[in-house]
Amino acid sequence: MTINKFQGRTESEAIEKAKKEMGPDVVIMSVKTVKPKGMFRAFKGLAYEVTAALEENELDKMSTKSLTEAKESQAQETKPESINLTADEKIQIPAVTAPSSNRLEEKAEMVLRQLQKQGSSEPAPEPQPQPPAAVPSSAIEERLDSLQSLLEDRISAEKKNQEDGLGTKEERAQEGFSFVKMLYQTLLDNEVHEKYANQILDELEKISSKGSNIDYILSHIYQKLVLKFGQPKPIEFRKSGPKVAFFIGPTGVGKTTTIAKIASRYKVDEGKKVAFLTADTYRIAATEQLRTYANILDMSLTIVYSPEEVKDAVRNLSDCDLILVDTAGFSHKNTAQCEDVKNLVSVLSPDYQTEVYLVLSATTKYRDLQDMCNIYQTFANYKLIFTKLDETSCYGNLLNIHLYSGADLSYVTYGQNVPDDIEVFDTQKIVKKLLGGD
C-alpha cells in the first residue's frame, strides 16, 4: 500500500495532482485545508491537502470476469495451514449465519498467533516514524478514535471476567484476541459475506512485523476496507457533447426518484442543461411522476417507445449537457424485457458519451443481488447506485456486491425527498458503519 499527500490551491487541483502521479485508480482517503505559514501568511490563501492511497497489487487492474476467476482460484488454492471459514464455493448454503464460537475463536487465534510470532522470538522493533500503512491521516484518526472507543466498550465486559494476575504479555494477547474476534463478528453482523470477512482478516497475517496492538489492527482494517471500496465514480462531463446516462434495475428500487434527484443536483447546483428521456411505458405512473419533476425543474421530457426513437431524441437534444434515460424495471428472470433493455442501452454509437447505472436496493438479499448483477452484466458495463439506505442498518451488501461484480460505486440514496436524500458514495462513512460506528 502506497500513501502520499498532495497540495493544491483548490481541492480539485490537489486531487488532479494525486491522479496524475499515482494513476486514475488512486483512492482519496481524506481532504483538509492547510493554513499558510510564515511572516507573509496574511497575504497567502488557504491550500488544500489530500491524502491518496493505492494498493500496489492492484496497479494492473483485471477485468471483472478475470478478477472473479482469480479470487475463486485463490480461495481454492489456500495453503493447508491457513484457516478459511468459507465453505466450498460450489456449495450454496441458503441460511448462512455467524460461525460458531469455536470456529470464530480459532480464526481469531490464528490471526493473533501470526501477529505475535515475531514479537515472541525477538525484542519488539523500535517504532518507525509514520509507517505508510499504519499511520492514518488526521481525518482518519478522528473517525478511528470514536470507532475504537466503541469497540473497546463492547469487549470491556469480557475483559472484566479475566482472572487477576495475568502478565503484561498475556494481557496484551488476550486483549488482541478479543479485539480481532469482535471486529470479525461485527463485519458478519453487518452482513459482510463470510468469504470477504475472511479475506480482510487474512490480511492481518501479513503484518506481524508491524506489531499487533489494537491501534494498528483497527487502522489497518479501516484502510484496507477503504481501498477495497475504491474511489466513487459519479457522473463526469467532457468539454463537448451531451452525456447520456441510462438507469437500469429491477422494479421498485426507486430508479425514477433517483433520476430526479440527480437531475436536480446538476441542474440547480451546477447549472447544467439537463433533459429526461423515459422508456418506461409499462407503468403510466412512472411517466407522470417524471413529467411532474420535469415541470418543476423546467426540463424537457421525451417519451420513447423503441431504440430507434432513443437515437432521434438524443440527436434532438444535442445542446444538452446531460440526458437521463429512465428504463422499465423488470424481473431479472424475464428474458423478453431483459432483451428490450439490452437493445435500448446499446443503440447509441460509440461517438456518444454513454454510461449505464445499475440501481439496486440495499435491502435486497445478497443472493438475489448476485443474480441481478449476473443478468445485467451480460449486456452492460455498469456502475452501481444503492437506494433505501434509510431502510436498513446493515451495509455489508454494498461491499459484497462491489467485490462480487467489480463495478464502481457512484451514488447512494437514503429517503424519498427530492432533491435531497442523495449523495456521492462516502467510502469513509460506510466503512465506519461496517466496523460498528455511527
Side-chain angles (χ1 to χ4, degrees), residues 300-357:
S300 67
L301 169 65
T302 305
I303 302 174
V304 295
Y305 297 91
S306 69
E308 289 300 320
E309 291 186 20
V310 172
K311 294 170 66 175
D312 295 336
V314 171
R315 190 181 304 112
N316 294 333
L317 295 169
S318 59
D319 61 331
C320 290
D321 299 305
L322 178 62
I323 302 173
L324 304 174
V325 185
D326 191 10
T327 65
F330 65 91
S331 167
H332 56 280
K333 300 177 181 180
N334 190 319
T335 306
Q337 286 185 318
C338 178
E339 191 67 23
D340 290 341
V341 174
K342 174 181 177 180
N343 294 333
L344 195 70
V345 300
S346 60
V347 68
L348 296 178
S349 70
D351 296 334
Y352 288 98
Q353 307 167 40
T354 62
E355 287 183 347
V356 180
Y357 292 85

Side-chain angles (χ1 to χ4, degrees), residues 245 247 255-264 267 273-279 287 289-304 313-314 317 320 322-326 418:
F247 293 80
K255 286 194 303 298
T256 304
T257 305
T258 299
I259 290 173
K261 293 175 180 178
I262 292 175
S264 176
K267 165 82 174 182
K273 186 173 182 180
V274 186
F276 289 133
L277 292 186
T278 180
T287 302
Q289 182 184 10
L290 203 57
R291 191 187 305 279
T292 300
Y293 291 135
N295 291 335
I296 294 173
L297 296 170
D298 191 23
M299 293 166 45
S300 67
L301 169 65
T302 305
I303 302 174
V304 295
V314 171
L317 295 169
C320 290
L322 178 62
I323 302 173
L324 304 174
V325 185
D326 191 10
V418 178

